[in-house]
Amino acid sequence: MRWFRLAKIWLIALKYGLDEFLLGHERFRWLRPTARALTFWRDTSSPRAERLRLALQDLGPIFVKFGQMLSTRRDLLPADIADELAKLQDRVPPFPSEQVIATLNRVYAKPVEQVFKSFEREPVASASVAQVHFALLPDGTPAAVKVLRPNIAATIERDLALMQMGAWLVEKLWSDGKRLKPREVVAEFDKTIHDELDLGREAANCSQLRRNFLHSPLLRIPEVYWDWCSTEVMVMERMSGTPIAQIERLRAEGVDIPRLARAGVEIFFTQVFRDGFFHADMHPGNIFVATDPANFGKYIALDFGIMGTLPETDKNYLAQNFLAFFRRDYHRVATAHIESGWVPPETRGDELESEIRAVCEPIFDRPLKEISLGRVLVQLFKASRRFNVEIQPQLVLLQKTLLNVEGLGRQLDPDLDLWVTAKPFLERWMQDQVSWRALERRLRDEAPFLITVLPQLPRLIHQKLSEPAPVLDVAFRELAAAQQARNRWLALVAVLLAGVIAILLWQSV
């Protein structure tokens, strides 16, 4: 089966002319005439990026998801390929309802009719990893039931093995192979796709995000019904709204579209800088807008398989960089890089500043509303790579999400000025970090630890002062040993001198 799959991949690659990536290497220059003669039947007049996207679509849903992930690595890929891969849509035909029922019967160990008051056999959404059905809980509560595709794990393992083999070949045979780090990219995809296979993990992500935005006037997250969840099934509150991509319909329903665009930016920055926990798959297919009177105009987020987290150090780094970019303070950008520890400490700040200026000045030579903050981040990562900066996975997710948010915001409102929307938020956040309220908050967070330690502090200090410091103790022992050795040598020299003197005196007599 694996060899059959490998043969299919090779034929699709030939069909779309992907062998040209390999034949571009000087080592294989002599093969080009033969390759052209043997593949006279194919049409390779389309741009290479478009042919790559079509090939991934033909290879199936796992390769589509891999292409989507590749599109986020703009710090590695050429711009034309990254832009084209971003068009990939994770839409696949649903699997039969009989398989859905069989999975539910096995997970719940009883017939589905005894689990739900009613269950709709026709799915309302279908993707490569799972599909969604509507149901009613026993008390009549409307719910959405997400069910993992049968045997999807085996399919993924097979395709991942082939991707790993392909990554090794790309690294060895393509001229740009080592720079693109294909094996690391496949390893990153391996982790992401396995996280998505655990619907219990997705339910936990959803629950956390809902708690963060429980009373938000901007965003709704479905409630998770834990009694019906497992690793293969996730049951949550049924949400109703209008897909955010249907702008004309939203406008007809009375939604303020420019306000909606600004709210999306605020939601993103709140997730990143307030919570350090953000939805990292915010494409239009996962976002709806509530139109019921109680929640009118709120965003509704779905699909929580891919989430990003940021520690305090990364949040501070990003906020400082963004604000420095707003002010075109490249010296501060360079300093933030060095202080974060992401570049070697011996890096010269003036050289890094010069590199960042060379990258960013052409970008800023345009009206602010036309500048993509996500692309500025991409260019920053590219400039940093020359100085051996290893881009952290969480920042790659952040870059991808920021590009999605920008694209969605400007699709809603072409005049959206992301910089005007984001800058006040970041300035308020930075001021809050150095305020008395921030100090009070940190002390409150540390209070349980301080209450435990403070009564013990006098005793701990006394113990520390009473016993010799290990470093000093070792130093004293080494000094004593050296002194003893020196004394032994001095004694030996003294005996020898005494002997010489005695011999001289005896001869003189």
Side-chain angles (χ1 to χ4, degrees), residues 164-197:
Q164 288 159 356
M165 182 193 305
W168 181 83
L169 290 172
V170 166
E171 190 170 289
K172 296 297 181 184
L173 301 178
W174 190 22
S175 55
D176 273 348
K178 288 186 179 179
R179 182 183 67 81
L180 297 178
K181 300 184 178 180
R183 285 190 285 182
E184 292 181 22
V185 171
V186 172
E188 182 184 329
F189 176 65
D190 188 335
K191 180 183 181 303
T192 301
I193 194 72
H194 277 97
D195 284 350
E196 287 194 67
L197 289 179

Side-chain angles (χ1 to χ4, degrees), residues 305-357:
I306 305 176
M307 304 294 291
T309 57
L310 287 178
E312 287 296 324
T313 51
D314 285 353
K315 288 195 285 184
N316 275 296
Y317 159 79
L318 284 168
Q320 289 182 41
N321 271 288
F322 282 148
L323 286 172
F325 274 124
F326 287 135
R327 299 162 183 159
R328 297 170 82 161
D329 183 354
Y330 304 123
H331 175 73
R332 183 60 199 143
V333 176
T335 304
H337 267 67
I338 295 170
E339 289 174 349
S340 70
W342 287 1
V343 294
E346 65 273 11
T347 301
R348 287 183 51 180
D350 57 336
E351 290 183 353
L352 183 57
E353 179 185 349
S354 177
E355 181 74 14
I356 293 169
R357 182 183 294 107

Side-chain angles (χ1 to χ4, degrees), residues 109-364:
K110 56 184 175 181
V112 70
E113 293 81 7
Q114 297 179 21
V115 178
F116 300 107
K117 186 175 182 179
S118 67
F119 183 84
E120 297 182 13
R121 290 175 174 259
E122 289 299 314
V124 293
S126 178
S128 55
V129 170
Q131 68 186 34
V132 179
H133 295 253
F134 283 158
L136 292 178
L137 299 183
D139 62 358
T141 302
V145 182
K146 189 171 186 176
V147 184
L148 205 65
R149 281 183 174 269
N151 304 315
I152 186 64
T155 302
I156 286 173
E157 294 301 334
R158 181 194 65 194
D159 282 350
L160 278 172
L162 295 175
M163 286 179 189
Q164 288 159 356
M165 182 193 305
W168 181 83
L169 290 172
V170 166
E171 190 170 289
K172 296 297 181 184
L173 301 178
W174 190 22
S175 55
D176 273 348
K178 288 186 179 179
R179 182 183 67 81
L180 297 178
K181 300 184 178 180
R183 285 190 285 182
E184 292 181 22
V185 171
V186 172
E188 182 184 329
F189 176 65
D190 188 335
K191 180 183 181 303
T192 301
I193 194 72
H194 277 97
D195 284 350
E196 287 194 67
L197 289 179
D198 185 351
L199 295 186
R201 179 190 294 269
E202 180 175 344
N205 291 338
C206 176
S207 182
Q208 173 71 59
L209 195 62
R210 174 181 167 80
R211 189 161 60 252
N212 291 348
F213 284 85
L214 190 57
H215 302 293
S216 169
L218 303 176
L219 177 64
R220 286 198 71 204
I221 306 294
E223 181 181 357
V224 175
Y225 300 129
W226 285 106
D227 290 343
W228 290 271
C229 290
S230 75
T231 57
E232 294 179 76
V233 181
M234 175 182 173
V235 181
M236 60 194 137
E237 179 183 1
R238 187 190 303 183
M239 309 297 280
S240 61
T242 302
I244 199 165
Q246 298 181 11
I247 299 173
E248 291 306 318
R249 180 178 165 188
L250 289 171
R251 190 173 281 117
E253 290 170 337
V255 175
D256 184 340
I257 301 299
R259 177 187 169 279
L260 192 67
R262 293 191 300 273
V265 176
E266 184 174 342
I267 289 168
F268 168 74
F269 280 97
T270 301
Q271 290 182 61
V272 171
F273 290 103
R274 187 193 69 185
D275 305 324
F277 184 74
F278 60 94
H279 193 302
D281 201 16
M282 291 184 68
H283 61 76
N286 288 337
I287 301 173
F288 290 70
V289 179
T291 53
D292 60 287
N295 300 288
F296 189 80
K298 286 186 180 182
Y299 278 76
I300 299 171
L302 302 172
D303 196 343
F304 310 93
I306 305 176
M307 304 294 291
T309 57
L310 287 178
E312 287 296 324
T313 51
D314 285 353
K315 288 195 285 184
N316 275 296
Y317 159 79
L318 284 168
Q320 289 182 41
N321 271 288
F322 282 148
L323 286 172
F325 274 124
F326 287 135
R327 299 162 183 159
R328 297 170 82 161
D329 183 354
Y330 304 123
H331 175 73
R332 183 60 199 143
V333 176
T335 304
H337 267 67
I338 295 170
E339 289 174 349
S340 70
W342 287 1
V343 294
E346 65 273 11
T347 301
R348 287 183 51 180
D350 57 336
E351 290 183 353
L352 183 57
E353 179 185 349
S354 177
E355 181 74 14
I356 293 169
R357 182 183 294 107
V359 168
C360 294
E361 274 301 304
I363 296 174
F364 284 109

